[in-house]
Amino acid sequence: MNTNSKSEAYAAAGVDITAGYKAVELMKQHIAKTVTSGVCSDVGGFGGLFELDLTGINKPVLVSGTDGVGTKLKMAFLMDKHDTVGIDCVAMCVNDIICCGAKPLFFLDYIACGKNVPERIADIVKGVCEGCVQSGAALIGGETAEMPGFYPVDEYDLAGYCTGVVDKDKIIDNKKMAAGDVVIALPSSGVHSNGYSLVRKVFDVENCDLKTPIAELGGRSLGETLLTPPKIYVKPVLALLEKVTVKGISHITGGGFYENIPRSIPDGLGAKIDRSAIRILPIFDYIAKCGNITERDMFNTYNMGVGMSIVVPKCEAETALQVLKDAGEDAYIIGEIIASDEKITIC
């Protein structure tokens, strides 16, 4: 740790640069778990270095994604629990780039805070590292910005960026999708990282009881349920790509079914989703009931228990389900692709 660099004047303005050094030291044990063979630099330099291994890739295409955690962070502040939101940050990025078949290579995070509390920053990065481990990405750099007067002392924002690689000839697009293909659902773990502005309004989270177990949520508290991190689908999807023909993938984030599933479907086709097949999680019924929200709005805001949808040929559907099961996913069929001018119908 750097013990020579310090500024009393800067500290008087609210920025403690020595706290930043301590935070880096505390997070190094977590970062070490994410190191892969391509990592060429230690955390703390001016740039993260990564050597590409292009074995078996004829036409490498780099794929990038960036995202944050959004107002779900308010739940972390209220619960004073900061070691899972980093998983959210990674999930939102890597689950996006896997939709085109890209294998995540490395990740960088950005934390802006009102006051640098090293132990809290290390907890946040611990979650980021867990997300990286789950997705096979290396955390090769990041930034912690202490911004007094801009953020409250007990609050922060968190965003991330990832880069992956895919062979150009294996990019997943929708060019081969056809009527008769089936739509497979990968279950979500809960609300994931989207729709929390509505969640916070429905439950008035700043003033409600977040810690008492609720029967309708399976005995879990509201706070625990809402802070549950997203599932990361990278490894199951990569396993699937080796065994079956995947024609389209949608990451169900903000905008729910109606915004995200159509993004992977070409003009002239639509996804016909069987409403009765969807395994809706209790938290979504609870949100709808407490907020008096219509089913249409729920499906246009939340994942409703489906974190990702995958389109495969009907003749390969059973194989796909078995591959996903072997990879730890209890996947199931929720619909089919039909000739239609509407990109999605739920009936």
Side-chain angles (χ1 to χ4, degrees), residues 11 43 47 67-68 95 102 108 156 158 171 196 198 208 210 226 231-232 241 251-252 257 272 274 310 335:
V43 172
D67 209 338
N95 283 345
L108 295 94
Y156 55 84
L158 172 63
I171 293 174
Y196 277 82
L198 179 55
C208 77
L210 294 173
L226 293 176
K231 295 182 73 171
I232 290 178
L241 293 176
H251 182 200
I252 313 300
F257 279 51
K272 182 180 180 182
D274 180 0
I310 300 176

Side-chain angles (χ1 to χ4, degrees), residues 181-211:
D181 291 339
V182 301
V183 183
I184 292 174
L186 299 188
S188 71
S189 59
V191 183
H192 282 190
S193 308
N194 303 99
Y196 277 82
S197 294
L198 179 55
V199 160
R200 289 166 47 238
K201 178 177 182 293
V202 166
F203 296 116
D204 187 17
V205 295
E206 284 82 3
N207 300 300
C208 77
D209 181 357
L210 294 173
K211 297 184 178 181

Side-chain angles (χ1 to χ4, degrees), residues 7-334:
S7 169
E8 292 183 4
Y10 210 5
V15 178
D16 183 358
I17 57 178
T18 61
Y21 302 143
K22 182 178 179 182
V24 170
E25 289 301 314
L26 290 174
M27 66 180 71
K28 280 185 176 180
Q29 61 176 313
H30 306 302
I31 296 172
K33 299 175 184 178
T34 76
V35 173
T36 63
S37 60
V39 177
C40 300
S41 59
D42 292 328
V43 172
F46 290 101
L49 306 180
F50 192 92
E51 181 180 6
L52 278 173
D53 180 359
L54 299 178
T55 303
I57 301 177
N58 296 318
K59 301 176 183 178
V61 175
L62 296 179
V63 183
S64 298
T66 186
D67 209 338
V69 182
T71 64
K72 183 175 182 176
L73 289 176
K74 288 285 189 180
M75 301 306 305
F77 305 156
L78 291 167
M79 297 291 287
D80 194 22
K81 181 174 172 56
H82 310 281
D83 61 350
T84 62
V85 289
I87 301 175
D88 287 75
C89 189
V90 176
M92 291 301 100
C93 298
V94 298
N95 283 345
D96 272 356
I97 71 168
I98 194 62
C99 288
C100 62
K103 177 182 178 181
L105 297 173
F106 57 82
F107 191 86
L108 295 94
D109 61 13
Y110 174 79
I111 304 168
C113 57
K115 180 177 176 58
N116 187 333
V117 179
E119 292 77 11
R120 184 167 60 204
I121 298 299
D123 265 355
I124 297 168
V125 175
K126 177 183 177 182
V128 172
C129 292
E130 173 59 27
C132 287
V133 169
Q134 290 184 25
S135 61
L139 181 62
I140 63 170
E143 172 69 13
T144 300
E146 191 172 20
M147 301 167 64
F150 194 90
Y151 291 95
V153 294
D154 292 325
E155 296 191 4
Y156 55 84
D157 200 3
L158 172 63
Y161 161 88
C162 70
T163 293
V165 65
V166 62
D167 195 314
K168 187 175 183 179
D169 294 331
K170 297 180 180 179
I171 293 174
I172 300 171
D173 53 34
N174 56 27
K175 294 178 181 178
K176 295 181 180 180
M177 197 175 293
D181 291 339
V182 301
V183 183
I184 292 174
L186 299 188
S188 71
S189 59
V191 183
H192 282 190
S193 308
N194 303 99
Y196 277 82
S197 294
L198 179 55
V199 160
R200 289 166 47 238
K201 178 177 182 293
V202 166
F203 296 116
D204 187 17
V205 295
E206 284 82 3
N207 300 300
C208 77
D209 181 357
L210 294 173
K211 297 184 178 181
T212 298
I214 298 173
E216 290 166 281
L217 299 179
R220 303 175 76 202
S221 70
L222 182 61
E224 178 187 7
T225 301
L226 293 176
L227 203 51
T228 301
K231 295 182 73 171
I232 290 178
Y233 300 104
V234 170
K235 292 179 180 179
V237 171
L238 289 176
L240 186 67
L241 293 176
E242 294 181 357
K243 300 293 183 180
V244 304
T245 303
V246 175
K247 297 186 176 184
I249 304 178
S250 294
H251 182 200
I252 313 300
T253 55
F257 279 51
Y258 286 100
E259 180 175 326
N260 292 291
I261 291 180
R263 294 168 66 180
S264 65
I265 299 176
D267 292 340
L269 296 176
K272 182 180 180 182
I273 304 299
D274 180 0
R275 164 64 178 79
S276 65
I278 298 171
R279 302 171 187 172
I280 296 177
L281 296 176
I283 182 58
F284 297 111
D285 290 330
Y286 196 61
I287 292 170
K289 184 187 79 169
C290 294
N292 193 28
I293 302 171
T294 66
E295 185 169 272
R296 175 62 167 74
D297 280 354
M298 288 297 294
F299 273 94
N300 207 161
T301 306
Y302 297 108
N303 66 65
M304 301 301 285
V306 179
M308 186 165 278
S309 67
I310 300 176
V311 177
V312 302
K314 186 175 182 178
C315 62
E316 297 185 60
E318 290 304 316
T319 300
L321 291 174
Q322 186 59 54
V323 171
L324 290 167
K325 181 179 180 180
D326 292 343
E329 289 295 328
D330 187 19
Y332 60 100
I333 294 172
I334 57 170

